[in-house]
């Protein structure tokens, strides 16, 4: 009698195993890396991304591209995660991280072809990743917050070749000033720098405001447009009459009673505004509503007021002006008020904004980006964020490395030396790891239309001769000392990129069985075809 078949999983479960699973995942990862490759470096190209609703993004930023592409293949998604981690941990270097991971997997495939077992490859990669961190610390240079010039150069390197290129001097000045200003006992929180975008005027009009810019107008036309020597009350409760229809539980039987009740409520509001006035405030930022009657009274006192200010903005104004957010008017005295040179309503392009500026020693600032169109402004914002991320990362670790592929070549060289100490097969894996790093300078060259082989040969021979800062300078298109050319990057970009790229490459290499439950989308990700979500299906 034939045995009954054993059924482990429902029929529509798709499963691929062994080599097929590996090759499929590696192919997907390589494709992700191919996508971003052409954007790397100052001569990299941009991509235009069009959403289903026809919104357009023009960008050069690795994480933005991958995020917008709605990639579905599971291994490819893991690659996108690398970019996201890089973005959140450092704020720059997303293309680099994804490319290293892609190349690590591509090179691993060569070893798989030579019948080297995946566990040997992953062991070699792990050793190489650890060694890389040690070498990186070894070759990096120390800086402090006093090295302002270097910090500016770091910001400029981050912005070279982006939409922000033409104004990178102005921006790097702004970035370094902002970061140094918000530094509080050595701690730096990117959230303390608010970025506000305003359409109209040119990119070069982008400014650093020693305070906060709110996209709010004053609540009433009768209020002053500008207040000098602002004394700011920050209130997180409403300045409103309670709505008798909703809130009250008293029953009213005659119009007089209602009138009495309203006068009573109005008196309460009057008292509130009186207290605001007594505190000496001439500006009020209220997190909740301000009703007509309160607006009228505030205007009469010549007080500038905004309502429904976001909680996060309230906190920023508090940090910038030194004012305390009060939840109870009894608490409000002159002592709780914040100070700013001016509070002003400004029509900026199409927007009406409230500027709180001239704060003394503010611990929260605003970068106000100007530009002609929203696409331009958005790309400038991404570039400025890269610059901010890099300057903050450099200050946090106090370490920098040379750019233009110099550090990658030095790493590769020292990794190859290290590989000599290892047994045969792991040695091959470490060598492949080293050559994956060389992919960065060769791509920088390729994207600039320079012969990558020539560049690599020259770089290697210079590094062999002990010139550890020899890199590809894309201002001059020559291989030379890039540290002197001030092409510098934070150490953290490279250490993070190498650690997340190798982690993900190792993780993908260890997979030899993919079990996908039903659902058309996922099934189409299975081998035999090209991974979907990339324009091939
Ligand atoms: P990522 O998303 O990885 O930050 P970028 O497009 O910002 O990618 O490119 C960063 C790379 O460009 C780094 O390797 C950096 O050293 C290099 N780079 C920046 N400016 C120059 C330059 N002037 N010459 C050569 N390489 C440069
Ligand atoms: Mg970058």
């Amino acid at each position: 009698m034939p045995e009954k078949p054993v059924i482990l999983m429902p029929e529509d479960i798709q499963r691929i195993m062994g080599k097929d699973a590996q090759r499929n995942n590696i192919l997907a990862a390589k494709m992700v890396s191919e996508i971003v490759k052409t954007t790397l470096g100052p001569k990299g190209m941009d991509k235009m991304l069009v959403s289903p609703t026809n919104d357009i993004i023009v960008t050069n930023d690795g994480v933005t591209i991958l995020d917008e592409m709605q990639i579905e293949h599971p291994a490819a998604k893991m690659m996108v995660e690398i970019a996201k981690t890089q973005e959140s941990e450092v704020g720059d270097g997303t293309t680099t991280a994804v490319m290293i991971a892609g190349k690590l997997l591509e090179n691993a495939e060569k070893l798989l072809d030579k019948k080297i077992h995946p566990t040997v490859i992953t062991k070699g990669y792990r050793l190489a990743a650890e060694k890389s961190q040690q070498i990186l610390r070894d070759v990096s240079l120390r800086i402090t917050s006093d090295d302002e010039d270097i910090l500016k150069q770091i910001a400029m390197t981050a912005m070279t070749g982006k939409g922000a290129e033409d104004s990178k001097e102005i921006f790097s000045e702004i970035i370094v000033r902002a970061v140094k200003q918000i530094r509080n006992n050595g701690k730096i929180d990117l959230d303390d720098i608010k970025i506000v975008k305003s359409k109209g005027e040119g990119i070069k009009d982008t400014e650093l405001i020693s305070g906060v810019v709110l996209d709010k107008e004053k609540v009433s036309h009768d209020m002053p447009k500008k207040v000098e020597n602002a004394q700011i009350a920050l209130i997180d409760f409403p300045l409103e009459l309670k709505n008798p229809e909703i809130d009250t539980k008293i029953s009213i039987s005659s119009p007089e009673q209602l009138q009495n009740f309203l006068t009573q409520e109005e008196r309460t509001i009057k008292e509130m505004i009186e207290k605001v006035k007594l505190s000496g405030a001439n500006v009020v930022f209220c997190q909740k509503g301000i009703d007509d009657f309160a607006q009228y009274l505030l205007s009469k006192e010549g007080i500038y007021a905004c309502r429904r200010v976001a909680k996060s903005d309230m906190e920023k104004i508090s940090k910038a002006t030194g004012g305390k957010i009060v939840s109870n008017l009894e608490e409000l005295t002159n002592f709780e008020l914040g100070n700013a040179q001016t509070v002003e309503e400004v029509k900026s392009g199409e927007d009406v904004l409230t500027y709180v500026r001239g704060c003394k020693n503010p611990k929260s600032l605003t970068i106000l980006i100007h530009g002609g169109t929203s696409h331009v402004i958005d790309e400038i914002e991404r570039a400025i964020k890269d610059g901010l991320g890099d300057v903050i990362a450099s200050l946090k670790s106090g370490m920098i490395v040379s750019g233009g592929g110099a550090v990658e070549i030095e790493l590769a060289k020292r990794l190859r030396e290290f590989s000599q100490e290892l047994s045969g097969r792991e040695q091959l894996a470490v060598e492949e790891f080293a050559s994956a790093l060389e992919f960065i300078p060769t791509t920088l060259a390729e994207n600039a239309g320079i012969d990558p082989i020539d560049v690599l040969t020259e770089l290697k021979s210079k590094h062999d001769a002990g010139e550890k800062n020899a890199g590809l300078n894309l201002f001059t298109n020559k291989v030379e000392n890039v540290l002197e050319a001030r092409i510098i990057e934070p150490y953290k970009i490279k250490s993070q990129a190498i650690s997340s790229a190798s982690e993900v490459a190792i993780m993908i290499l260890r997979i030899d069985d993919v079990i996908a439950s039903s659902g058309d989308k996922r099934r189409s990700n299975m081998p035999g075809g090209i991974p979907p979500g990339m324009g091939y299906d």
Side-chain angles (χ1 to χ4, degrees):
M1 221 172 93
E3 270 183 44
K4 261 189 130 185
V6 180
I7 297 168
L8 278 182
M9 296 179 286
E11 249 174 52
D12 58 355
I13 292 259
Q14 296 269 321
R15 181 168 186 193
I16 36 167
M17 283 179 284
K19 260 200 190 129
D20 286 343
Q22 267 160 2
R23 301 295 158 129
N24 182 260
N25 284 339
I26 290 176
L27 176 62
K30 259 173 24 189
M31 288 173 74
V32 173
S33 144
E34 284 294 317
I35 290 167
V36 291
K37 186 183 158 189
T38 54
T39 69
L40 183 80
K43 301 286 167 74
M45 304 295 278
D46 296 346
K47 286 195 193 291
M48 180 186 255
L49 305 160
V50 186
S51 79
T53 52
N54 268 342
D55 286 331
I56 295 169
I57 300 178
V58 177
T59 185
N60 177 292
D61 189 48
V63 71
T64 309
I65 296 167
L66 295 176
D67 210 18
E68 292 292 326
M69 284 183 60
Q70 303 177 11
I71 284 171
E72 274 170 3
H73 187 285
K77 269 186 161 169
M78 289 166 74
M79 297 283 286
V80 178
E81 282 305 308
I82 304 179
K84 289 191 180 160
T85 311
Q86 184 77 18
E87 178 76 1
S88 65
E89 291 292 310
V90 198
D92 193 16
T94 54
T95 314
T96 304
V98 169
M99 282 176 56
I100 294 176
K103 203 64 178 178
L104 283 175
L105 287 162
E106 189 180 331
N107 291 358
E109 200 170 26
K110 289 191 223 155
L111 299 174
L112 291 171
D113 287 342
K114 289 186 193 157
K115 304 267 178 301
I116 296 179
H117 196 269
T119 52
V120 178
I121 306 174
T122 53
K123 183 163 178 223
Y125 275 10
R126 200 167 280 131
L127 286 171
E130 275 166 24
K131 188 72 189 172
S132 301
Q133 296 298 347
Q134 188 192 329
I135 303 170
L136 260 182
R137 279 192 297 274
D138 228 37
V139 297
S140 62
L141 300 167
R142 316 278 135 164
I143 58 153
T144 69
S145 58
D146 294 331
D147 297 315
E148 242 178 59
D149 228 33
I150 293 182
L151 291 172
K152 278 182 205 156
Q153 298 290 345
I154 290 168
M156 281 201 247
T157 301
M159 292 183 288
T160 309
K162 318 253 163 187
E165 163 101 50
D166 290 344
S167 312
K168 64 179 178 180
E169 276 90 12
I170 304 174
F171 294 159
S172 60
E173 178 85 36
I174 289 178
I175 288 169
V176 173
R177 254 177 49 214
V179 172
K180 287 189 83 169
Q181 177 60 43
I182 56 146
R183 215 160 68 109
N184 207 349
N185 296 327
K187 282 206 198 93
I188 308 169
D189 186 354
L190 185 57
D191 280 346
D192 290 336
I193 300 175
K194 184 179 180 198
I195 294 188
V196 179
K197 300 179 270 189
S198 166
K199 226 189 277 178
E201 297 183 82
I203 296 170
K204 287 195 163 55
D205 297 309
T206 295
E207 52 189 323
L208 180 66
I209 312 272
S210 297
V212 182
V213 177
L214 305 169
D215 53 352
K216 290 271 165 203
E217 46 192 319
K218 54 188 164 72
V219 278
S220 156
H221 279 302
D222 299 329
M223 290 176 174
K225 228 178 147 44
K226 182 173 183 178
V227 178
E228 302 275 355
N229 190 10
Q231 306 284 311
I232 304 162
L234 297 166
I235 295 174
D236 74 353
F237 53 88
L239 296 175
E240 276 176 346
L241 282 178
K242 288 201 188 80
N243 185 336
E245 279 169 87
I246 299 167
D247 278 337
T248 41
K249 288 198 177 63
I250 51 161
S251 53
I252 288 166
S253 50
S254 72
E256 289 77 34
Q257 266 179 336
L258 178 63
Q259 194 50 49
N260 278 345
F261 171 71
L262 286 179
T263 348
Q264 169 65 32
E265 287 279 273
E266 279 179 2
R267 227 180 0 249
T268 319
I269 291 283
K270 254 189 184 144
E271 280 165 16
M272 282 172 133
I273 304 303
E274 192 61 27
K275 277 182 193 139
V276 171
K277 190 189 149 198
L278 271 179
S279 73
N282 50 17
V283 175
V284 171
F285 290 122
C286 181
Q287 200 178 316
K288 302 277 166 55
I290 303 178
D291 74 8
D292 290 349
F293 186 56
Q295 287 176 25
Y296 162 76
L297 294 174
L298 287 166
S299 312
K300 229 174 66 176
E301 299 298 343
I303 295 175
Y304 185 111
C306 293
R307 67 176 160 184
R308 304 205 190 286
V309 178
K311 187 162 188 269
S312 58
D313 280 337
M314 293 291 285
E315 282 159 7
K316 288 196 170 92
I317 303 170
S318 163
K319 274 188 164 177
T321 64
K324 190 170 161 252
I325 302 172
V326 297
S327 311
N328 178 346
L329 274 179
E330 306 305 325
E331 285 175 34
L332 187 71
T333 66
N334 193 264
F335 184 72
E336 270 72 38
L337 301 180
N339 300 296
Q341 217 166 22
T342 58
V343 169
E344 185 182 5
E345 186 185 84
V346 177
K347 200 165 177 321
S348 169
E350 293 172 2
D351 315 303
V352 182
L353 305 169
T354 290
Y355 283 49
V356 180
R357 59 163 118 215
C359 300
K360 272 192 221 114
N361 198 21
K363 286 298 160 211
S364 171
L365 294 161
T366 303
I367 296 177
L368 184 61
I369 303 177
H370 293 282
T373 74
S374 54
H375 305 136
V376 171
I377 299 177
D378 287 348
E379 184 64 349
I380 301 274
E381 179 186 14
R382 284 187 283 270
I384 289 188
K385 281 188 171 160
D386 284 355
L388 280 169
D390 281 1
V391 169
I392 292 175
S394 308
L395 278 178
K396 274 189 180 163
S397 71
M399 295 198 276
I400 54 161
V401 294
S402 43
V407 75
E408 284 87 354
I409 296 289
E410 187 64 17
L411 274 167
K413 180 193 141 198
R414 297 205 194 182
L415 280 175
R416 288 207 176 87
E417 286 163 11
F418 164 70
S419 76
Q420 301 302 317
E421 302 164 16
L422 303 171
S423 74
R425 303 199 145 208
E426 280 154 17
Q427 187 177 341
L428 291 179
V430 175
E431 277 167 12
E432 291 301 343
F433 193 106
S435 82
L437 296 175
E438 289 167 354
F439 189 42
I440 300 298
T442 52
T443 305
L444 286 173
E446 207 175 312
N447 287 349
I450 308 170
D451 188 287
I453 314 264
D454 289 351
V455 167
L456 188 58
T457 318
E458 199 178 345
L459 279 170
K460 278 178 158 179
S461 78
K462 288 209 160 143
H463 280 255
D464 284 342
E467 291 183 42
K468 63 177 186 192
N469 292 313
L472 175 61
N473 179 347
L474 286 172
F475 296 125
T476 59
N477 285 357
K478 287 201 185 100
V479 171
E480 53 196 24
N481 187 323
V482 281
L483 204 59
E484 276 165 19
R486 297 292 198 199
I487 301 167
I488 25 188
E489 294 184 89
Y491 148 89
K492 179 79 179 159
I493 280 200
K494 305 296 175 184
S495 72
Q496 182 67 47
I498 290 174
S499 82
S500 28
S502 53
E503 270 170 27
V504 169
I506 289 170
M507 186 177 258
I508 292 179
L509 281 172
R510 287 169 53 91
I511 300 169
D512 77 339
D513 195 352
V514 180
I515 304 155
S517 57
S518 64
D520 286 336
K521 263 187 193 166
R522 254 177 283 174
R523 207 172 312 157
S524 59
N525 281 320
M526 300 307 276
I530 300 280
M534 295 182 192
Y536 282 78
D537 58 337

